Coordinates of all heavy atoms in Angstrom, one line a residue:
N218 N 116.5 75.6 124.3 CA 117.0 76.7 125.0 C 117.3 77.9 124.3 O 117.9 77.8 123.3 CB 118.3 76.1 126.0 CG 118.0 75.1 126.8 OD1 116.9 74.9 127.4 ND2 119.0 74.2 127.1
S219 N 117.1 79.0 124.9 CA 117.4 80.2 124.1 C 118.7 80.9 124.7 O 119.1 80.7 125.8 CB 116.2 81.3 124.3 OG 116.1 81.6 125.6
I220 N 119.3 81.7 123.8 CA 120.4 82.5 124.2 C 120.0 83.9 124.6 O 119.3 84.5 123.8 CB 121.5 82.4 123.2 CG1 122.0 80.8 123.0 CG2 122.7 83.2 123.5 CD1 122.8 80.7 121.8
T221 N 120.5 84.5 125.6 CA 120.2 85.9 125.9 C 121.4 86.8 126.0 O 122.5 86.3 126.0 CB 119.5 85.9 127.3 OG1 120.2 85.4 128.2 CG2 118.1 85.1 127.3
N222 N 121.1 88.1 125.9 CA 122.2 89.1 126.2 C 123.3 88.9 125.1 O 124.5 89.1 125.4 CB 122.8 89.0 127.6 CG 121.8 89.2 128.6 OD1 120.9 90.1 128.6 ND2 121.8 88.3 129.7
V223 N 122.8 88.8 123.9 CA 123.7 88.8 122.7 C 123.8 90.2 122.1 O 122.8 90.8 122.0 CB 123.3 87.7 121.7 CG1 124.1 87.7 120.4 CG2 123.3 86.3 122.3
T224 N 124.9 90.5 121.5 CA 125.1 91.8 120.8 C 125.3 91.5 119.3 O 126.2 90.7 119.1 CB 126.3 92.6 121.4 OG1 125.9 93.0 122.8 CG2 126.4 93.9 120.5
I225 N 124.6 92.0 118.5 CA 124.7 91.9 117.1 C 125.0 93.4 116.6 O 124.2 94.2 116.5 CB 123.4 91.4 116.4 CG1 123.1 90.0 116.9 CG2 123.6 91.3 114.8 CD1 121.8 89.4 116.4
D226 N 126.3 93.6 116.2 CA 126.7 95.0 115.9 C 127.6 95.1 114.8 O 128.5 94.3 114.6 CB 127.5 95.5 117.2 CG 128.0 96.9 117.1 OD1 127.2 97.8 117.2 OD2 129.2 97.1 116.9
G227 N 127.4 96.1 113.9 CA 128.2 96.5 112.9 C 128.3 95.6 111.7 O 129.2 95.5 110.8
N228 N 127.2 94.9 111.4 CA 127.1 94.0 110.2 C 126.4 94.6 109.0 O 125.6 95.6 109.2 CB 126.3 92.6 110.7 CG 126.9 92.0 111.7 OD1 127.9 91.2 111.4 ND2 126.5 92.1 113.0
T229 N 126.8 94.1 107.9 CA 126.1 94.6 106.7 C 125.3 93.3 106.2 O 125.9 92.2 105.9 CB 127.0 95.1 105.6 OG1 127.7 96.2 106.1 CG2 126.4 95.4 104.3
I230 N 124.0 93.4 106.0 CA 123.3 92.3 105.5 C 122.4 92.8 104.4 O 121.7 93.8 104.4 CB 122.2 91.8 106.7 CG1 123.0 91.4 107.9 CG2 121.3 90.7 106.2 CD1 122.2 91.3 109.2
E231 N 122.5 92.1 103.2 CA 121.8 92.5 102.0 C 121.3 91.4 101.2 O 121.8 90.4 101.1 CB 122.8 93.5 101.2 CG 124.1 92.9 100.8 CD 124.9 93.9 100.1 OE1 124.6 94.3 99.0 OE2 125.9 94.2 100.7
G232 N 120.2 91.8 100.4 CA 119.6 90.9 99.5 C 119.1 89.6 100.1 O 119.2 88.5 99.5
N233 N 118.4 89.6 101.2 CA 117.8 88.4 101.8 C 116.2 88.5 101.9 O 115.7 89.6 101.8 CB 118.4 88.3 103.2 CG 119.9 87.9 103.3 OD1 120.3 86.9 102.8 ND2 120.6 88.9 103.6
G234 N 115.7 87.4 102.3 CA 114.2 87.4 102.6 C 114.0 88.2 103.8 O 113.0 88.9 103.9
G235 N 114.8 88.1 104.8 CA 114.7 88.8 106.1 C 116.1 89.1 106.6 O 117.1 88.4 106.3
G236 N 116.2 90.1 107.4 CA 117.5 90.7 107.9 C 118.0 90.0 109.1 O 118.7 88.9 109.0
I237 N 117.5 90.4 110.3 CA 117.9 89.9 111.6 C 116.6 89.4 112.3 O 115.6 90.2 112.4 CB 118.6 90.8 112.5 CG1 119.9 91.2 111.7 CG2 118.9 90.3 113.9 CD1 120.6 92.3 112.5
W238 N 116.5 88.1 112.8 CA 115.3 87.7 113.5 C 115.8 87.2 114.7 O 116.6 86.2 115.0 CB 114.7 86.5 112.6 CG 113.5 85.9 113.1 CD1 112.7 86.5 114.2 CD2 112.8 84.8 112.6 NE1 111.6 85.6 114.3 CE2 111.6 84.6 113.4 CE3 113.0 84.0 111.6 CZ2 110.7 83.6 113.2 CZ3 112.1 83.0 111.4 CH2 110.9 82.8 112.1
I239 N 115.2 87.8 115.8 CA 115.4 87.4 117.2 C 114.1 86.6 117.7 O 113.2 87.1 117.8 CB 115.7 88.6 118.2 CG1 116.8 89.4 117.6 CG2 115.9 88.2 119.6 CD1 118.2 88.7 117.6
Y240 N 114.5 85.3 118.0 CA 113.2 84.5 118.3 C 113.5 83.8 119.7 O 114.5 83.1 120.0 CB 113.2 83.3 117.3 CG 112.1 82.3 117.4 CD1 110.7 82.7 117.2 CD2 112.3 81.0 117.9 CE1 109.7 81.8 117.4 CE2 111.3 80.2 118.1 CZ 110.0 80.5 117.9 OH 108.9 79.7 118.1
Q241 N 112.6 84.1 120.6 CA 112.6 83.6 121.9 C 114.0 83.8 122.6 O 114.4 82.9 123.3 CB 112.2 82.1 122.0 CG 110.8 81.9 121.6 CD 110.3 80.4 121.6 OE1 111.2 79.5 121.8 NE2 109.1 80.2 121.5
S242 N 114.4 85.0 122.6 CA 115.7 85.4 123.1 C 115.7 86.8 123.6 O 115.6 87.7 122.8 CB 116.8 85.2 122.1 OG 118.0 85.5 122.6
D243 N 115.7 87.0 124.9 CA 115.4 88.3 125.5 C 116.8 89.0 125.9 O 117.8 88.4 126.1 CB 114.6 88.2 126.7 CG 113.3 87.6 126.5 OD1 112.7 87.8 125.4 OD2 112.7 86.9 127.4
G244 N 116.7 90.3 125.9 CA 117.8 91.2 126.6 C 119.0 91.3 125.5 O 120.1 91.5 126.0
N245 N 118.8 91.2 124.2 CA 119.8 91.4 123.2 C 119.9 92.8 122.7 O 119.0 93.6 122.9 CB 119.5 90.5 122.0 CG 119.3 89.1 122.5 OD1 120.2 88.4 123.0 ND2 118.1 88.6 122.4
R246 N 121.1 93.1 122.2 CA 121.4 94.5 121.6 C 121.7 94.2 120.1 O 122.5 93.6 119.8 CB 122.6 95.1 122.3 CG 122.3 95.5 123.6 CD 123.6 96.1 124.4 NE 123.8 97.4 123.7 CZ 123.2 98.6 124.0 NH1 122.3 98.6 124.9 NH2 123.6 99.7 123.4
I247 N 120.8 95.1 119.3 CA 121.0 95.0 117.9 C 121.4 96.4 117.4 O 120.5 97.2 117.4 CB 119.7 94.5 117.1 CG1 119.4 93.1 117.6 CG2 120.0 94.4 115.6 CD1 118.0 92.6 117.2
T248 N 122.6 96.7 117.2 CA 123.1 98.1 117.0 C 124.0 98.2 115.8 O 124.7 97.4 115.5 CB 123.9 98.5 118.2 OG1 124.9 97.6 118.5 CG2 123.0 98.5 119.5
N249 N 123.9 99.3 115.2 CA 124.8 99.8 114.1 C 124.9 98.9 112.9 O 126.1 98.7 112.3 CB 126.2 100.1 114.8 CG 126.0 101.1 115.9 OD1 125.5 102.1 115.7 ND2 126.7 100.7 117.0
N250 N 123.9 98.2 112.5 CA 123.8 97.3 111.4 C 123.3 98.0 110.2 O 122.4 98.9 110.3 CB 123.1 96.0 111.7 CG 123.7 95.3 112.8 OD1 124.7 94.6 112.8 ND2 123.0 95.4 114.0
T251 N 123.6 97.6 109.0 CA 123.0 98.1 107.7 C 122.4 96.9 107.1 O 123.0 95.9 106.7 CB 124.1 98.7 106.8 OG1 124.8 99.7 107.5 CG2 123.5 99.2 105.6
I252 N 121.0 97.1 106.9 CA 120.3 96.0 106.3 C 119.6 96.5 105.1 O 118.8 97.5 105.2 CB 119.2 95.4 107.3 CG1 119.9 95.0 108.5 CG2 118.4 94.3 106.7 CD1 119.0 94.7 109.7
T253 N 119.8 96.1 103.9 CA 119.3 96.5 102.7 C 118.7 95.3 101.8 O 119.1 94.2 101.9 CB 120.3 97.2 101.8 OG1 121.4 96.3 101.5 CG2 120.8 98.5 102.6
D254 N 117.7 95.6 101.1 CA 117.0 94.7 100.1 C 116.5 93.5 100.7 O 116.6 92.4 100.2 CB 118.0 94.3 98.9 CG 118.4 95.6 98.2 OD1 117.5 96.6 98.0 OD2 119.5 95.7 97.6
S255 N 116.0 93.6 102.0 CA 115.3 92.5 102.5 C 113.8 92.4 102.1 O 113.1 93.4 102.2 CB 115.2 92.5 104.2 OG 116.7 92.3 104.5
S256 N 113.4 91.3 101.6 CA 112.1 91.3 101.0 C 111.0 91.1 102.0 O 109.8 91.4 101.7 CB 111.9 90.3 99.8 OG 112.1 89.0 100.4
A257 N 111.1 90.6 103.2 CA 110.1 90.3 104.1 C 110.2 91.3 105.4 O 109.1 91.8 105.8 CB 110.2 88.9 104.6
F258 N 111.3 91.5 105.9 CA 111.4 92.3 107.1 C 112.9 92.8 107.2 O 113.8 92.1 106.6 CB 111.0 91.8 108.3 CG 111.7 90.4 108.7 CD1 112.9 90.4 109.4 CD2 111.1 89.2 108.4 CE1 113.5 89.2 109.7 CE2 111.8 88.0 108.6 CZ 113.0 88.0 109.4
G259 N 113.2 93.8 108.0 CA 114.6 94.2 108.3 C 115.0 93.5 109.6 O 116.0 92.8 109.7
I260 N 114.2 93.8 110.7 CA 114.6 93.2 112.0 C 113.3 92.6 112.5 O 112.3 93.5 112.7 CB 115.2 94.2 112.9 CG1 116.5 94.7 112.4 CG2 115.4 93.6 114.3 CD1 117.2 95.7 113.2
Q261 N 113.2 91.5 112.9 CA 112.0 90.9 113.5 C 112.3 90.4 115.0 O 113.3 89.6 115.1 CB 111.4 89.7 112.7 CG 110.1 89.2 113.3 CD 109.3 88.3 112.4 OE1 109.4 88.5 111.2 NE2 108.7 87.4 112.9
L262 N 111.4 90.9 115.9 CA 111.7 90.5 117.2 C 110.4 89.7 117.8 O 109.4 90.2 117.9 CB 111.8 91.8 118.1 CG 112.8 92.8 117.6 CD1 112.6 94.2 118.3 CD2 114.2 92.2 117.9
D263 N 110.7 88.4 118.1 CA 109.7 87.6 118.8 C 110.2 87.3 120.1 O 110.2 86.2 120.6 CB 109.5 86.3 117.9 CG 108.9 86.5 116.6 OD1 108.1 87.4 116.4 OD2 109.2 85.7 115.6
S264 N 110.4 88.3 120.8 CA 110.8 88.3 122.2 C 110.7 89.8 122.8 O 110.4 90.6 122.1 CB 112.2 87.7 122.3 OG 113.2 88.5 121.6
T265 N 111.2 89.9 124.0 CA 111.0 91.3 124.7 C 112.4 91.5 125.3 O 113.2 90.8 125.4 CB 109.9 91.3 125.7 OG1 110.2 90.4 126.7 CG2 108.6 91.0 125.1
G266 N 112.5 92.8 125.8 CA 113.6 93.4 126.4 C 114.9 93.6 125.6 O 116.1 93.8 126.1
N267 N 114.7 93.6 124.3 CA 115.8 93.9 123.3 C 116.0 95.3 123.1 O 114.9 96.1 123.0 CB 115.6 93.1 122.1 CG 115.4 91.7 122.3 OD1 116.4 90.9 122.6 ND2 114.2 91.1 122.1
I268 N 117.1 95.8 122.7 CA 117.4 97.2 122.3 C 117.9 97.1 120.9 O 118.9 96.5 120.5 CB 118.5 97.7 123.2 CG1 118.1 97.8 124.7 CG2 118.9 99.1 122.8 CD1 119.1 98.2 125.6
V269 N 117.2 97.9 120.1 CA 117.5 98.0 118.7 C 117.7 99.5 118.3 O 116.8 100.3 118.3 CB 116.3 97.4 117.7 CG1 116.6 97.5 116.4 CG2 115.9 96.0 118.2
T270 N 119.0 99.8 118.1 CA 119.3 101.3 117.8 C 120.5 101.5 117.0 O 121.3 100.6 116.8 CB 119.5 101.9 119.2 OG1 119.7 103.3 119.1 CG2 120.8 101.3 120.0
G271 N 120.4 102.5 116.3 CA 121.5 102.9 115.4 C 121.6 102.1 114.0 O 122.6 102.2 113.4
N272 N 120.6 101.4 113.7 CA 120.6 100.5 112.5 C 120.0 101.4 111.3 O 119.2 102.3 111.4 CB 119.7 99.3 112.7 CG 120.2 98.5 113.8 OD1 121.2 97.8 113.7 ND2 119.6 98.6 115.0
T273 N 120.5 101.0 110.1 CA 120.0 101.7 108.8 C 119.3 100.5 108.1 O 119.9 99.5 107.8 CB 121.1 102.3 108.1 OG1 121.7 103.3 108.8 CG2 120.4 102.8 106.7
I274 N 118.0 100.7 108.0 CA 117.2 99.6 107.3 C 116.5 100.0 106.0 O 115.8 101.0 106.0 CB 116.1 99.0 108.3 CG1 116.9 98.5 109.6 CG2 115.4 97.8 107.7 CD1 115.9 98.4 110.7
T275 N 116.8 99.3 104.9 CA 116.0 99.6 103.7 C 115.4 98.3 103.3 O 116.1 97.3 102.9 CB 117.0 100.1 102.6 OG1 117.8 101.2 103.0 CG2 116.3 100.4 101.4
V276 N 114.1 98.2 103.2 CA 113.3 97.1 102.9 C 112.7 97.3 101.4 O 112.5 98.5 101.0 CB 112.2 96.7 103.9 CG1 112.9 96.2 105.2 CG2 111.3 97.8 104.1
T277 N 112.4 96.3 100.8 CA 111.9 96.4 99.3 C 110.7 95.5 99.2 O 110.3 94.8 100.1 CB 113.0 95.8 98.3 OG1 113.3 94.5 98.6 CG2 114.2 96.7 98.4
G278 N 110.0 95.6 98.0 CA 108.9 94.8 97.8 C 107.7 95.2 98.7 O 107.5 96.3 99.1
G279 N 107.0 94.2 99.1 CA 105.8 94.4 100.0 C 106.1 94.6 101.4 O 105.2 94.7 102.2
A280 N 107.4 94.6 101.7 CA 107.8 94.7 103.2 C 108.0 96.2 103.7 O 108.6 96.4 104.7 CB 109.0 93.9 103.3
A281 N 107.6 97.2 102.9 CA 107.8 98.5 103.2 C 107.5 98.9 104.7 O 108.1 99.6 105.3 CB 107.3 99.5 102.2
G282 N 106.5 98.3 105.2 CA 106.0 98.6 106.5 C 106.6 97.7 107.6 O 106.3 97.8 108.7
N283 N 107.5 96.9 107.2 CA 108.1 95.9 108.1 C 109.5 96.1 108.3 O 110.3 95.0 108.4 CB 107.8 94.4 107.5 CG 106.3 94.1 107.3 OD1 105.5 94.4 108.2 ND2 106.0 93.3 106.4
A284 N 110.0 97.3 108.5 CA 111.4 97.4 108.7 C 111.8 96.8 110.1 O 112.7 96.1 110.2 CB 111.7 99.0 108.7
I285 N 110.9 97.2 111.1 CA 111.1 96.5 112.4 C 109.7 95.9 112.9 O 108.9 96.7 113.1 CB 111.7 97.5 113.4 CG1 113.0 98.1 113.0 CG2 111.8 96.7 114.8 CD1 113.5 99.1 114.0
V286 N 109.8 94.6 113.0 CA 108.5 93.9 113.3 C 108.7 93.5 114.8 O 109.6 93.0 115.2 CB 108.3 92.8 112.4 CG1 107.1 92.0 112.8 CG2 108.3 93.1 111.0
G287 N 107.5 93.7 115.5 CA 107.5 93.1 116.9 C 108.1 94.1 117.9 O 108.9 93.7 118.7
Q288 N 107.7 95.4 117.8 CA 108.3 96.4 118.7 C 107.8 96.4 120.1 O 108.6 96.9 121.0 CB 108.2 97.7 118.0 CG 108.8 97.9 116.6 CD 108.7 99.2 116.1 OE1 108.9 100.2 116.7 NE2 108.3 99.3 114.7
S289 N 106.7 95.7 120.4 CA 106.1 95.9 121.7 C 107.1 95.2 122.7 O 107.5 94.0 122.5 CB 104.8 95.2 121.6 OG 104.2 95.2 122.9
G290 N 107.3 95.9 123.8 CA 108.3 95.3 124.7 C 109.7 95.4 124.5 O 110.5 94.8 125.3
N291 N 110.0 96.1 123.4 CA 111.5 96.3 123.1 C 111.7 97.9 122.9 O 110.8 98.6 122.7 CB 111.8 95.6 121.8 CG 111.6 94.1 121.9 OD1 112.4 93.4 122.5 ND2 110.6 93.6 121.3
T292 N 113.0 98.3 123.0 CA 113.4 99.6 122.6 C 113.9 99.7 121.3 O 114.9 98.9 121.0 CB 114.5 100.0 123.6 OG1 114.0 99.9 125.0 CG2 114.9 101.4 123.4
T293 N 113.2 100.4 120.4 CA 113.5 100.4 118.9 C 113.8 101.6 118.3 O 113.4 102.0 117.3 CB 112.4 99.7 118.2 OG1 111.2 100.4 118.5 CG2 112.2 98.2 118.7
S294 N 114.5 102.7 119.0 CA 114.8 103.9 118.4 C 116.0 104.4 119.0 O 116.4 104.1 120.1 CB 113.7 104.9 118.5 OG 113.5 105.2 119.9
P295 N 116.8 105.3 118.3 CA 116.5 105.8 116.9 C 117.2 104.8 115.9 O 118.3 104.3 116.2 CB 117.2 107.1 116.9 CG 118.3 107.1 117.8 CD 117.9 106.1 118.9
N296 N 116.5 104.6 114.8 CA 117.0 103.8 113.7 C 116.6 104.6 112.5 O 115.7 105.4 112.4 CB 116.4 102.4 113.6 CG 116.8 101.6 114.8 OD1 117.9 101.1 114.8 ND2 115.9 101.5 115.8
T297 N 117.4 104.4 111.4 CA 117.1 105.1 110.1 C 116.4 104.0 109.2 O 116.9 103.0 108.9 CB 118.4 105.6 109.4 OG1 119.0 106.5 110.2 CG2 118.0 106.3 108.0
I298 N 115.2 104.4 108.9 CA 114.3 103.5 107.9 C 114.2 104.2 106.6 O 113.7 105.4 106.6 CB 112.9 103.3 108.6 CG1 113.0 102.9 110.1 CG2 112.1 102.3 107.8 CD1 113.7 101.6 110.4
R299 N 114.5 103.5 105.6 CA 114.4 104.1 104.2 C 113.4 103.3 103.4 O 113.4 102.1 103.5 CB 115.8 104.2 103.5 CG 116.7 105.0 104.3 CD 118.0 105.1 103.6 NE 118.8 105.9 104.3 CZ 120.2 105.9 104.3 NH1 120.8 104.9 103.6 NH2 120.9 106.8 105.0

């Protein structure tokens, strides 16, 4: 069973393989988080109807193009990508 309508707000996540991963969970809000030094992705969305806004994401290594993965069907701006 999936959980829906969760808010992830105001967290600092650093030095991980990945930052925040939403898997089969729709209608969530990911806001005002700072994610740094994630080697695979900053935020990954494997669901729809999520709102991702106000986050600051800095990815490293080969993940430079993977700040926010799975944007289709989700609202993903504005965020700061470095």
Side-chain angles (χ1 to χ4, degrees):
N218 295 335
S219 65
I220 298 173
T221 60
N222 301 313
V223 172
T224 298
I225 301 172
D226 181 75
N228 297 283
T229 299
I230 301 167
E231 56 186 295
N233 292 292
I237 298 171
W238 184 5
I239 304 297
Y240 181 73
Q241 295 182 350
S242 178
D243 301 329
N245 303 292
R246 296 182 59 84
I247 303 168
T248 57
N249 305 311
N250 299 287
T251 300
I252 303 167
T253 57
D254 298 327
S255 293
S256 60
F258 58 85
I260 298 172
Q261 181 163 333
L262 305 167
D263 290 331
S264 55
T265 59
N267 299 292
I268 297 171
V269 180
T270 187
N272 301 285
T273 300
I274 305 167
T275 305
V276 292
T277 60
N283 295 327
I285 302 175
V286 178
Q288 297 182 48
S289 179
N291 296 289
T292 301
T293 58
S294 65
N296 294 282
T297 302
I298 312 296
R299 299 183 178 150

